[in-house]
Amino acid sequence: MSLSFRDQSEVAATTYAPAARPPRPGRFPVPHYLNKYYWWAYVHPLAVRFWERQWLINLVLLGNYKKLDAAALEALGDHLPGKTLQVSACYGSLSTDMAQRIQKSGGTLDVIDILPVQLENLRSKLWPGAPVRMQEMDSEHLEYADNSFDRVVLFFLMHEQPDGVRDNSLREALRVLKPGGKILMVDYGQSSKWHPLRYLLLPFLRFLEPFAVKLWYNEMTEVMPQAMAGRTWKKTSYFGGMYQRLVSAK
Ligand SMILES: C[S@@+](CC[C@H](N)C(=O)[O-])C[C@H]1O[C@@H](n2cnc3c(N)ncnc32)[C@H](O)[C@@H]1O
């Protein structure tokens, strides 16, 4: 299913309710891991109103938001023509920062998310005429043709998904990427053993973000489907390894 920009803005204008109202039911049931572990962060409409604050997201990322946003943009480059896909929306300015570069380059940005309330939130951050198309979609089953995007971005999605779901999302991200295209992930990493926050934060993380713990103890390539782990991934670590950027080409 593909929608032109005009079609999509009509959909957005007619079906996305303001964030204060109860969210309309989505195309998909809310995945069990979001309902069980992340209702407070993404699912509840008040959660969106609460978390969509740049300083708060920066606090959650221990003061590293700007650095990680800049790291993502740097990996993508200044010139972003063609088609970019962001798999799942996020709080903060990354999507709008990307959209600005993409607009200057004459490209387009597709953002998918399984929760309508998240797309509606992104929409509220965009300017009229932004070259951004938003669609409700499951990262496990992207409704795009093979080899259709020049670059695919996954910003802090991997640590939220249980094993099988993460594998499927990654497979799908690679499937829709064009040969020669770039895949970019920014997420939690394997923090160094000497990192004091590792021991301080781990109990909270276990409780609040149980799937993230896997990324604290393993290289991302160790938790990927095997066929993908064999690819060349360029890894850059940030904040004592607590965060990482991974880039690969198809
Ligand atoms: C990108 S992640 C977290 C980003 C980071 N914590 C932040 O906000 O900066 C959060 C998003 O992933 C979305 N998400 C989780 N599972 C998904 C799935 N299977 N398909 C599409 N979106 C999904 C959630 O709805 C949520 O909007």
Side-chain angles (χ1 to χ4, degrees):
M1 180 185 63
S2 74
L3 294 171
S4 71
F5 283 117
R6 182 143 179 262
D7 292 336
Q8 182 57 39
S9 65
E10 279 163 8
V11 170
T14 53
T15 59
Y16 290 160
R21 288 189 215 151
R24 67 181 174 78
R27 281 180 68 206
F28 305 96
V30 179
H32 65 96
Y33 57 92
L34 286 184
N35 255 338
K36 184 164 179 191
Y37 299 106
Y38 287 106
W39 62 268
W40 54 272
Y42 305 115
V43 183
H44 198 286
L46 290 180
V48 179
R49 293 175 78 196
F50 177 76
W51 288 107
E52 186 54 79
R53 287 173 170 80
Q54 192 77 29
W55 66 266
L56 192 53
I57 290 304
N58 190 38
L59 191 68
V60 171
L61 293 177
L62 307 171
N64 288 281
Y65 185 88
K66 255 197 181 154
K67 199 194 290 176
L68 296 171
D69 178 300
L73 293 171
E74 186 209 42
L76 293 171
D78 291 334
H79 190 51
L80 300 174
K83 293 181 70 183
T84 303
L85 172 65
Q86 183 183 350
V87 182
S88 87
C90 57
Y91 296 131
S93 58
L94 178 69
S95 305
T96 50
D97 291 346
M98 283 197 299
Q100 274 168 9
R101 284 192 182 191
I102 286 168
Q103 185 159 33
K104 279 192 199 136
S105 316
T108 60
L109 173 63
D110 284 78
V111 183
I112 69 100
D113 201 287
I114 203 155
L115 298 176
V117 71
Q118 290 293 332
L119 293 173
E120 174 195 311
N121 180 48
L122 170 58
R123 193 174 136 70
S124 73
K125 295 190 275 184
L126 292 168
W127 57 96
V132 181
R133 189 161 31 197
M134 290 160 282
Q135 282 183 267
E136 270 172 63
M137 217 177 272
D138 187 347
S139 61
E140 288 194 83
H141 308 284
L142 295 178
E143 296 163 35
Y144 297 115
D146 296 357
N147 309 324
S148 47
F149 287 91
D150 296 282
R151 54 200 80 81
V152 177
V153 178
L154 301 114
F155 191 75
F156 283 94
L157 177 64
M158 295 290 93
H159 77 278
E160 280 179 5
Q161 298 190 320
D163 289 355
V165 178
R166 189 176 54 236
D167 288 357
N168 290 338
S169 299
L170 206 44
R171 272 197 203 98
E172 281 291 89
L174 274 171
R175 178 185 66 77
V176 302
L177 188 66
K178 284 181 186 170
K182 191 181 274 182
I183 179 165
L184 162 69
M185 274 187 261
V186 178
D187 220 303
Y188 285 105
Q190 213 183 8
S191 59
S192 332
K193 294 207 169 49
W194 54 262
H195 203 307
L197 291 176
R198 178 184 168 116
Y199 304 98
L200 211 65
L201 288 182
L202 214 53
F204 291 102
L205 207 66
R206 269 190 210 290
F207 177 65
L208 289 172
E209 306 213 70
F211 310 113
V213 175
K214 197 134 194 190
L215 301 188
W216 279 52
Y217 286 120
N218 298 280
E219 288 291 342
M220 186 76 86
T221 45
E222 289 168 347
V223 302
M224 280 177 186
Q226 232 174 7
M228 268 157 219
R231 314 182 69 81
T232 304
W233 293 92
K234 186 165 183 275
K235 176 179 160 179
T236 313
S237 295
Y238 302 89
F239 201 56
M242 194 169 283
Y243 306 106
Q244 61 182 326
R245 178 183 75 184
L246 287 167
V247 184
S248 185
K250 189 169 174 186

